[in-house]
Amino acid sequence: MPWQEVTTVTLRTEFVMLAIQEGSNIAQLCRLFNISRDKGYKWIRRFREHGDAGLHDRSRRPHNSPIQTAASVESAILALRQEHPAWGGRKIKACLEAGGELVLPAPSTITEILRRNGKLDPTESAKHKAFIRFEHPTPNALWQMDFKGHFPTRQGSCHPLTVLDDHSRYNLVLQACGDETTASVKSALVAAFRRYGLPERMTMDNGSPWGDDGENNLTGLTAWLIRLGVGVSHSRPYHPQTQGKDERFHRTLLLEAIAGKDFDSLAHCQQAFDEFRVIYNSKRPHEALGQKPPVTRYQPSERMYPEVPPPIEYGPDDIVRKVQDKGIVFFKGEVFRVSRALRGQPVAFRPTDQDGKFWLYFCHQKLRDIRIGDKKVSPMSPNDCHP
């Protein structure tokens, strides 16, 4: 398939930035991006020879600009700040040093240059404090998903859907949606799964369309994810820090791509999102990553997206029951409520070493504990994500 017309350069940029990372699988990336290996190597070669300009079809701009003199350091700092008004001294230093053309002062000196030129708000700077967060050890071990608060356009409203890789902070989905429905989310996720493969697990808050439907935090969307072999967990209610990396990404998205802009339509929003996403993933230094961009730590998953979901299989000791129309199952003479999202699907009661106690599973995901004769069964826990 050819590149999508409206995002040709951004797709090429993302492909190349992933491909040039150490240990990347070029053949797999070409499959994920639906291009031939010859074409993939062509764009890698052009990028290495001409930089970003080489990714344009007929651009003849040289990659290397003349070497800057020491007298131009301050103007280069101010110009980059003008281009990225939310960046501070450390990010500006890391970005300019990556070009290898300037000898930069310390981040504190750059911050002072910004302050001296009226580019810093002291009250705003005081709000930015570093956090220590848990980080998964490998890419695709966990993806965080959420909607950024919606904002108006001239033709309606935009609901930005975001998905972030926990290990690398790589932004996998930044979709300008017109609503927050299952259909919109599923469409964006299918595109992401085809491009990057499947994660081991995804976490999200308790809101619609993936949150609590009144029956075990299981909805049609999360049931579909589990069916694909993706573990599902939810943040604790009123604890947004569980989604801390995606929440932090939302703040960056607001400052660098949304605030102060007037959007005509969802297409206009998506254009701005695509441009921001390239900068965020492949150019913007990230403090938690040693001032390197997320692309330096991300690789697509080896778990390919199945166009047809695999059959549901359980172990030989599992007792399998079919979920009825009202979302209930019959077991050992008792009725247990599961979820309407699983109507018609097989679930398994897995024996434990305690008499009368079973674990209830859908595919690989544990839904709850079951004790025969005890109607007070516990709901699905956010941590019940693995066998």
Side-chain angles (χ1 to χ4, degrees):
M1 291 178 60
W3 299 96
Q4 300 177 37
E5 288 297 325
V6 295
T7 58
T8 300
V9 176
T10 56
L11 284 172
R12 289 172 185 167
T13 301
E14 183 174 16
F15 168 79
V16 169
M17 296 308 297
L18 288 170
I20 64 176
Q21 302 307 312
E22 183 178 357
S24 64
N25 186 327
I26 306 297
Q28 181 193 18
L29 285 170
C30 289
R31 289 194 299 271
L32 291 171
F33 280 76
N34 291 318
I35 59 173
S36 68
R37 293 174 69 177
D38 287 344
K39 183 169 289 188
Y41 281 108
K42 179 185 77 172
W43 293 119
I44 294 171
R45 184 180 67 256
R46 287 193 181 183
F47 177 79
R48 285 174 172 161
E49 292 174 353
H50 304 291
D52 292 342
L55 302 179
H56 293 261
D57 286 327
R58 287 180 290 273
S59 175
R60 297 184 181 274
R61 293 177 298 165
H63 175 50
N64 295 320
S65 51
I67 296 177
Q68 301 281 348
T69 63
S72 64
V73 168
E74 183 166 330
S75 62
I77 290 170
L78 295 175
L80 187 59
R81 172 69 179 195
Q82 181 70 24
E83 185 178 354
H84 302 287
W87 289 15
R90 287 187 292 270
K91 282 184 173 55
I92 290 174
K93 177 179 172 65
C95 190
L96 290 176
E97 281 185 336
E101 298 172 354
L102 294 174
V103 178
L104 276 300
S108 58
T109 303
I110 295 176
T111 301
E112 183 56 35
I113 291 173
L114 297 177
R115 182 177 292 109
R116 187 171 65 246
N117 286 272
K119 301 296 183 180
L120 292 182
D121 180 353
T123 58
E124 187 66 24
S125 299
K127 300 177 184 178
H128 294 234
K129 297 181 180 180
F131 289 90
I132 299 176
R133 297 188 178 98
F134 172 77
E135 175 186 290
H136 281 72
T138 58
N140 308 305
L142 176 69
W143 290 4
Q144 297 185 11
M145 176 167 62
D146 201 0
F147 273 105
K148 168 80 177 70
H150 66 275
F151 59 88
T153 70
R154 292 180 181 178
Q155 298 181 15
S157 61
C158 176
H159 302 253
L161 174 66
T162 65
V163 179
L164 209 70
D165 177 61
D166 184 273
H167 171 77
S168 64
R169 280 76 163 177
Y170 193 84
N171 174 241
L172 300 141
V173 175
L174 179 51
Q175 185 68 38
C177 299
D179 52 43
E180 299 184 7
T181 62
T182 295
S184 294
V185 175
K186 187 173 180 180
S187 175
L189 287 180
V190 167
F193 292 158
R194 287 172 175 162
R195 175 62 44 78
Y196 305 108
L198 296 175
E200 295 295 329
R201 182 163 64 97
M202 293 187 69
T203 183
M204 53 216 77
D205 63 21
N206 296 277
S208 177
W210 45 66
D212 190 357
D213 66 347
E215 300 173 355
N216 314 315
N217 283 349
L218 202 60
T219 66
L221 181 65
T222 51
W224 170 70
L225 290 172
I226 295 170
R227 184 76 172 77
L228 292 176
V230 178
V232 172
S233 60
H234 295 273
S235 60
R236 293 170 56 196
Y238 311 111
H239 285 75
Q241 60 269 32
T242 309
Q243 297 278 98
K245 296 182 182 69
D246 205 24
E247 291 289 333
R248 181 63 184 86
F249 175 76
H250 287 174
R251 190 171 77 183
T252 301
L253 175 65
L254 175 63
L255 289 173
E256 301 188 19
I258 298 176
K261 297 182 180 179
D262 186 15
F263 294 99
D264 293 327
S265 62
L266 289 180
H268 189 191
C269 294
Q270 192 63 56
Q271 180 182 1
F273 289 174
D274 290 344
E275 293 171 357
F276 163 78
R277 186 171 175 269
V278 169
I279 294 172
Y280 175 86
N281 279 338
S282 61
K283 298 182 179 180
R284 181 184 185 274
H286 200 300
E287 185 172 355
L289 306 180
Q291 297 299 353
K292 294 183 178 181
V295 71
T296 60
R297 295 185 61 178
Y298 184 72
Q299 290 290 338
S301 171
E302 296 181 357
R303 302 177 63 214
M304 303 298 288
Y305 170 70
E307 298 294 337
V308 178
I312 299 176
E313 298 179 350
Y314 293 110
D317 296 330
D318 294 339
I319 305 170
V320 180
R321 293 290 185 269
K322 182 179 179 180
V323 180
Q324 304 301 309
D325 286 344
K326 294 183 179 180
I328 60 175
V329 290
F330 299 95
F331 181 64
K332 299 284 187 180
E334 298 186 18
V335 180
F336 295 94
R337 183 171 297 281
V338 184
S339 173
R340 287 188 175 89
L342 297 182
R343 286 174 293 186
Q345 300 292 329
V347 296
F349 291 85
R350 185 165 299 171
T352 70
D353 56 1
Q354 299 182 33
D355 290 341
K357 183 179 178 180
F358 296 82
W359 291 330
L360 178 61
Y361 273 82
F362 174 59
C363 298
H364 61 91
Q365 180 125 354
K366 179 183 174 184
L367 301 181
R368 60 168 66 176
D369 295 336
I370 294 291
R371 189 176 295 277
I372 302 301
D374 183 6
K375 298 296 184 179
K376 297 180 179 179
V377 293
S378 60
M380 184 174 72
S381 165
N383 297 319
D384 289 336
C385 300
H386 305 285

